[in-house]
């Protein structure tokens, strides 16, 4: 009986790093120790830079809403929830790629989960930004929050495109081989 039959190859959706090679059954013991805990290449990739820009714009939007006086409680509570949830999920995906957790947690399809997160999160963020812009009543903090919400929406759309492009290209080339 061969012990190498349980090997599952995973790919990174927007990491842009070198995570696509096949590994042997002892790759977790030998290769993981020599490569280190943190991926030194990932923070310089387009996917990582997009995630950092998204996190910064979402954090600024959240701070702008928290520091202003609200005229519409429900609209800005929704905006707060959407921005902070997106911020946390983007941080989780950033840490998954930075610490190469996609290699350890192979039971999760990381490209698909990231794509679904960005599709749903972008739609909710767009709705929240439109509602926040319509209820801002020319208060500068709320206008700034909605502008940063729209900026984060645009950056999330870029990540959707990047995740979808890489996921489909990876799957189609794997299917052709």
């Amino acid at each position: 009986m061969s012990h190498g039959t349980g090997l599952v190859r995973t790919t990174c959706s927007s990491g842009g790093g070198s995570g696509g090679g096949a590994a042997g059954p002892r790759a977790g013991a030998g290769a993981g120790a020599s490569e280190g805990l943190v991926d030194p290449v990932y923070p310089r990739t387009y996917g990582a830079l997009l995630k950092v820009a998204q996190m910064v714009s979402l954090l600024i939007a959240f701070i702008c809403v928290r520091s202003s006086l609200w005229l519409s409680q429900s609209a800005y509570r929704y905006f707060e929830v959407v921005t902070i949830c997106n911020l946390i999920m983007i941080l989780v995906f950033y840490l998954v790629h930075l610490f190469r957790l996609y290699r350890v947690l192979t039971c999760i399809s990381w490209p698909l989960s990231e794509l679904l997160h960005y599709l749903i999160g972008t739609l909710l963020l767009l709705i929240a930004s439109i509602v926040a812009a319509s209820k801002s009543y020319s208060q500068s903090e709320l206008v700034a929050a909605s502008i940063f919400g729209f900026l984060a929406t645009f950056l999330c759309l870029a990540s959707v495109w990047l995740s979808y492009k890489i996921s489909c290209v990876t799957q189609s080339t794997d299917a052709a081989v």
Side-chain angles (χ1 to χ4, degrees), residues 88-99:
I88 290 169
M89 285 306 298
I90 291 168
L91 179 64
V92 165
F93 283 118
Y94 184 82
L95 293 176
V96 162
H97 291 298
L98 183 65
F99 292 113

Side-chain angles (χ1 to χ4, degrees), residues 36-111:
L37 179 64
V38 177
D39 186 1
V41 177
Y42 179 70
R44 294 185 297 263
T45 62
Y46 290 125
L49 294 176
L50 268 174
K51 283 179 180 59
V52 169
Q54 291 163 8
M55 288 187 287
V56 167
S57 63
L58 287 169
L59 183 64
I60 292 172
F62 180 77
I63 290 171
C64 287
V65 168
R66 289 301 291 177
S67 66
S68 67
L69 297 173
W70 298 347
L71 298 175
S72 177
Q73 290 285 336
S74 61
Y76 290 107
R77 287 281 179 212
Y78 175 69
F79 188 80
E80 277 185 335
V81 168
V82 168
T83 55
I84 204 69
C85 287
N86 269 328
L87 177 67
I88 290 169
M89 285 306 298
I90 291 168
L91 179 64
V92 165
F93 283 118
Y94 184 82
L95 293 176
V96 162
H97 291 298
L98 183 65
F99 292 113
R100 299 182 185 122
L101 294 176
Y102 55 87
R103 292 181 181 175
V104 177
L105 301 171
T106 57
C107 60
I108 300 171
S109 174
W110 290 105

